[in-house]
Amino acid sequence: MRGGRSRRPCKAGGVIRPPRPDIQTVGIIGTGAMGRGIAQIAAQAGLTVNLYDANPQAVEAARQYLQDTLDKLAAKGRISPDDASATLARVKPCGKLEDLAGCDAVVEAIVERLDVKRDLVAKLEAIVQPDAIIASNTSSLSITAIAVGAKHPGRIAGYHFFNPVPLMKVVEVIDGLSGDGAVGDALMELSRRMGHTPVRCKDMPGFIVNHAGRGMNIEGLKVAQEGVAEYADIDDIMREQAGFRMGPFELMDLTGLDVSHPVMESIYSQFYQEPRYRPSPIAALRSVGGLVGRKAGAGFYSYPDGRKTRPTPAAPAPAARPKSVWVSRACEHGHTLVTNLLSKLGTTPETGTLPSADALIVVTPLGLDATSCALQEGLDATRTVAVDTLLPFEATKRRTIMTTPATTATDRDAAHGLFASDGVPVTVIRDSAGFVGQRVICSIVNIASDIAQQRIATPSDIDLAVNLGLGYPKGPLALGDAIGPQRILECLRNLERLTGDMSYRPSPWLWRRAGLGLSLLWD
């Protein structure tokens, strides 16, 4: 953490006992997907793993699962058969909690209930040595709260892995208010030994990854709730225009609304109704209706036989081209991008101060809607369409245009035909402040900026955690730098002014660095 952390030793019966720097034996409590995964990477790293579950049959099932997994890795040539056998031999099944007495560190991966975790900590403190670390793999509970009532709260830390553990190479190390910095240091080193990339953060709701992930899903749901575009269209835009691996609705179907919606509600509640994290009634209603995603066979998409199907897309617009095109200069950056694109598409836009009587009118708002642009510039709304220019066209595989409520079908189709004439797909959306991509991207960058502003983690750790934990094309702060902090700020201020929604208010971290011309990664 910034400026380093004091290495305050733990006290055991009046004797100073710092945490063990060289961890050799790890106890793991809980044999679900997370517990099995942590056991696998620890054993593969040469550590002895004492594996315990309240259900003895679950321990044997987990060890069998590990054997099958290691055998598959050996069959694929990723490890040798000898390594597979040696790794499994290091996983010791335990029949009772007392079998963890000799562990240097114990990681619990049990049910997400505060009372159950506190009870487990109390039992462990009566069993393990005073210098043994007790770590929680919680994804949603406060580490400080888990440590309340412990005899030695300094040795309790958060150690949040992601599923599947062997493939998701990031782990969050969380310092509680009463935590000893040396304990976090030891877990950071243990993570590297197990082949994972650790990121350090303080104890706040959602830590880094679940906190930063609010922008994608919550804003995507808000766009859909406003009737701007269909679920599949929003996903297409975020994948092919914005460059994300999945759109918000594909992601929520994969995670399951039974998991993701409670997280949305929890973080919103823990931040005392912060508008940036406001959940959606769409998610609540679909959760109640059982449309939770892929595992239920139906979510935002249908999954017959486990394969995603999407609604049949609307017939493409006819390949019409307008007789003439006029591009607004209200946003000079957008005017330049669109004019250059039109040149490549074989169209030279009009150069007059105002459009001719028959011209298709193109505006390029940042954070505004097409209607506002038409009204502010005194343009004919029936011929006006807006084009999203937040990202350069050459960097995208899809383009987005939006209409005013008054835009004629003829002008809409002419714009569609023109901007898709080189084979790049175009999504036509209804009028929206900030299109789709602008809203989601700017929300992601703004939330990450506020995580940095709150000193929850360093800017570099925020980007590293999100890049590895969520698979974004760039870390959110680096993404903001690539687009330009000033442009992100302009979008957010226009969104806030137009909608009156406080969720778009820019973080001080963002507006200060935008004003000073600094990188969002500048600490």
Side-chain angles (χ1 to χ4, degrees):
M1 301 298 287
R2 291 173 184 77
R5 282 189 173 264
S6 61
R7 293 173 175 259
R8 293 177 285 104
C10 302
K11 291 186 178 181
V15 180
I16 294 177
R17 300 294 297 274
R20 304 180 190 185
D22 186 20
I23 296 172
Q24 298 297 331
T25 302
V26 176
I28 296 174
I29 302 174
T31 58
M34 299 305 296
R36 293 194 306 258
I38 299 168
Q40 179 183 331
I41 63 170
Q44 284 187 279
L47 298 162
T48 298
V49 176
N50 290 352
L51 189 61
Y52 171 79
D53 194 285
N55 178 0
Q57 288 76 28
V59 176
E60 288 305 318
R63 202 168 184 277
Q64 182 61 53
Y65 175 89
L66 290 173
Q67 180 175 340
D68 294 343
T69 299
L70 294 166
D71 287 346
K72 289 177 183 176
L73 291 174
K76 293 177 180 178
R78 296 182 183 176
I79 60 175
S80 71
D82 288 345
D83 284 342
S85 298
T87 297
L88 187 64
R90 287 191 284 270
V91 180
K92 314 292 185 183
C94 298
K96 57 185 184 297
L97 205 57
E98 287 74 13
D99 293 340
L100 307 181
C103 293
D104 303 313
V106 177
V107 181
E108 66 83 4
I110 61 172
V111 64
E112 286 286 272
R113 279 183 49 187
L114 182 59
D115 59 334
V116 177
K117 290 183 186 291
R118 281 180 175 171
D119 181 63
L120 177 60
V121 167
K123 291 177 180 177
L124 284 173
E125 285 203 301
I127 294 170
V128 300
Q129 295 300 308
D131 58 353
I133 293 170
I134 299 175
S136 173
N137 183 56
T138 181
S139 62
S140 62
L141 299 177
S142 163
I143 302 304
T144 301
I146 291 172
V148 167
K151 294 179 181 178
H152 306 297
R155 62 163 159 185
I156 299 169
Y159 205 31
H160 181 213
F161 290 85
F162 295 83
N163 191 32
V165 176
L167 299 180
M168 299 292 285
K169 296 293 187 178
V170 65
V171 55
E172 295 172 320
V173 176
I174 304 108
D175 297 292
L177 288 181
S178 54
D180 182 342
V183 170
D185 293 343
L187 291 176
M188 295 284 284
E189 183 55 38
L190 177 63
S191 306
R192 297 184 188 100
R193 182 175 172 186
M194 294 190 296
H196 272 47
T197 299
V199 291
R200 195 78 171 263
C201 66
K202 69 181 183 181
D203 189 13
M204 286 292 278
F207 310 133
I208 303 174
V209 175
N210 280 337
H211 189 168
R214 299 307 90 210
M216 170 75 87
N217 291 355
I218 287 174
E219 195 61 30
L221 284 162
K222 192 186 299 184
V223 171
Q225 187 177 338
E226 291 173 13
V228 173
E230 303 303 318
Y231 304 132
D233 290 332
I234 295 169
D235 282 345
D236 287 346
I237 290 168
M238 292 311 300
R239 268 188 291 99
E240 298 171 16
Q241 182 181 356
F244 287 74
R245 188 165 58 190
M246 284 187 285
F249 302 101
E250 294 168 316
L251 179 59
M252 285 184 280
D253 267 6
L254 180 63
T255 305
L257 277 181
D258 56 331
V259 174
S260 56
H261 181 62
V263 171
M264 292 184 220
E265 292 186 317
S266 173
I267 290 179
Y268 181 60
S269 174
Q270 289 181 75
F271 275 105
Y272 296 100
Q273 290 72 53
E274 160 59 53
R276 292 190 181 105
Y277 313 129
R278 186 186 304 117
S280 169
I282 290 177
L285 187 62
R286 297 178 79 87
S287 295
V288 169
L291 300 174
V292 299
R294 185 184 296 268
K295 59 190 171 188
F300 295 103
Y301 299 90
S302 297
Y303 297 90
D305 302 321
R307 292 186 171 186
K308 183 180 86 171
T309 61
R310 58 176 289 161
T312 303
R321 295 175 73 97
K323 294 178 181 179
S324 60
V325 181
W326 180 87
V327 184
S328 167
R329 288 185 176 274
C331 175
E332 199 59 43
H333 171 78
H335 176 273
T336 299
L337 290 183
V338 170
T339 299
N340 290 341
L341 175 60
L342 290 175
S343 177
K344 294 176 183 177
L345 298 177
T347 295
T348 301
E350 296 179 358
T351 58
T353 305
L354 295 173
S356 66
D358 296 324
L360 173 71
I361 300 170
V362 176
V363 294
T364 60
L366 290 174
L368 297 175
D369 61 353
T371 295
S372 296
C373 292
L375 294 174
Q376 289 171 8
E377 299 180 54
L379 304 172
D380 181 356
T382 66
R383 295 184 284 134
T384 298
V385 298
V387 180
D388 189 354
T389 58
L390 183 68
L391 300 169
F393 293 121
E394 61 270 16
T396 66
K397 298 178 181 178
R398 180 174 289 273
R399 297 167 189 147
T400 303
I401 62 176
M402 68 182 175
T403 59
T404 76
T407 304
T408 67
T410 299
D411 285 285
R412 178 200 64 205
D413 292 346
H416 191 170
L418 173 61
F419 286 102
S421 60
D422 59 350
V424 175
V426 167
T427 298
V428 181
I429 64 172
R430 301 176 187 92
D431 214 0
S432 166
F435 294 89
V436 174
Q438 289 181 17
R439 290 174 61 165
V440 177
I441 289 172
C442 291
S443 294
I444 289 169
V445 174
N446 197 35
I447 288 173
S449 295
D450 217 50
I451 294 173
Q453 180 65 41
Q454 295 179 54
R455 304 286 168 172
I456 294 172
T458 64
S460 58
D461 270 3
I462 294 168
D463 267 18
L464 190 59
V466 173
N467 186 248
L468 294 175
L470 296 176
Y472 288 0
K474 293 179 184 290
L477 300 176
L479 178 60
D481 279 348
I483 293 169
Q486 295 84 359
R487 198 160 291 131
I488 298 288
L489 180 61
E490 181 180 353
C491 279
L492 288 167
R493 282 181 169 161
N494 283 336
L495 280 161
E496 183 186 14
R497 178 172 60 85
L498 189 62
T499 66
D501 190 337
M502 289 291 288
S503 67
Y504 299 118
R505 72 192 189 282
S507 167
W509 186 275
L510 171 63
W511 59 255
R512 288 183 180 128
R513 281 153 186 77
L516 295 170
L518 297 175
S519 164
L520 295 179
L521 288 161
W522 180 269
D523 190 359

